[in-house]
Amino acid sequence: MRAALGEAEKAAKEGEVPVGAVVVGPSGEILARARNRMVAGNDPAGHAEILALRKAAKKRSNHRLTGCRLVVTLEPCAMCAGAAVTARVSEIIFGAADPKAGAVHSLYRIASDERLNHRAMVIPGVLGKESAALLTAFFRTRRKI
């Protein structure tokens, strides 16, 4: 999670919503790191999770990331949760909950939905206070509260 937080900090410095993600391989090695790039890339799908999953799949030369963990500073949205399930990650670990758009624990539970052909274990709240503080500070400066 510390590596994901580092990516989130970089995103904030670049004017992006500070979300960072890493994909950790079955042996514990970091396969990919990414941060939000929606603004810089003019890409509505430029979420940290999507970018990290793409990089990891490319590195493994396989669209399936079986045995891998997606570690992200903010609870994944529906798009990112769906991508993680499609990639068949084994675990989704996140920091801050997202009660407005969280799709693996708070609002929806896509990763554990038994109607889907794959499910991932979800581990919420890892360094959640640190992740939430980074988001709060970012939006406080944006909204000048």
Side-chain angles (χ1 to χ4, degrees), residues 6-56:
E7 290 297 314
E9 289 168 357
K10 290 177 189 174
K13 289 177 184 170
E14 296 168 353
E16 301 276 356
V17 174
V19 178
V22 296
V23 175
V24 179
S27 302
E29 73 284 12
I30 293 177
L31 297 175
R33 300 169 187 258
R35 58 190 172 274
N36 272 4
R37 304 284 296 161
M38 292 169 40
V39 175
N42 295 313
D43 181 4
H47 291 203
E49 301 96 317
I50 298 292
L51 300 175
L53 290 168
R54 285 178 180 161
K55 287 178 183 179

Side-chain angles (χ1 to χ4, degrees), residues 21-96:
V22 296
V23 175
V24 179
S27 302
E29 73 284 12
I30 293 177
L31 297 175
R33 300 169 187 258
R35 58 190 172 274
N36 272 4
R37 304 284 296 161
M38 292 169 40
V39 175
N42 295 313
D43 181 4
H47 291 203
E49 301 96 317
I50 298 292
L51 300 175
L53 290 168
R54 285 178 180 161
K55 287 178 183 179
K58 190 170 192 171
K59 186 169 188 174
R60 289 184 95 194
S61 298
N62 192 337
H63 67 288
R64 300 285 189 233
L65 297 173
T66 307
C68 294
R69 288 174 268 157
L70 174 63
V71 182
V72 60
T73 58
L74 180 65
E75 181 179 358
C77 69
M79 174 181 68
C80 295
V85 168
T86 299
R88 292 188 172 45
V89 298
S90 298
E91 293 180 13
I92 299 171
I93 301 164
F94 72 87

Side-chain angles (χ1 to χ4, degrees), residues 4-5 17 25 30 40-41 45 56 60 62 67 79 97 100 105 110 118-119 128 130-132 135 138 141:
L5 277 166
V17 174
I30 293 177
R60 289 184 95 194
N62 192 337
M79 174 181 68
K100 293 183 180 179
H105 186 74
I110 291 172
H118 176 75
R119 282 164 292 291
E130 292 89 334
S131 298
L135 287 157
F138 176 81
T141 61

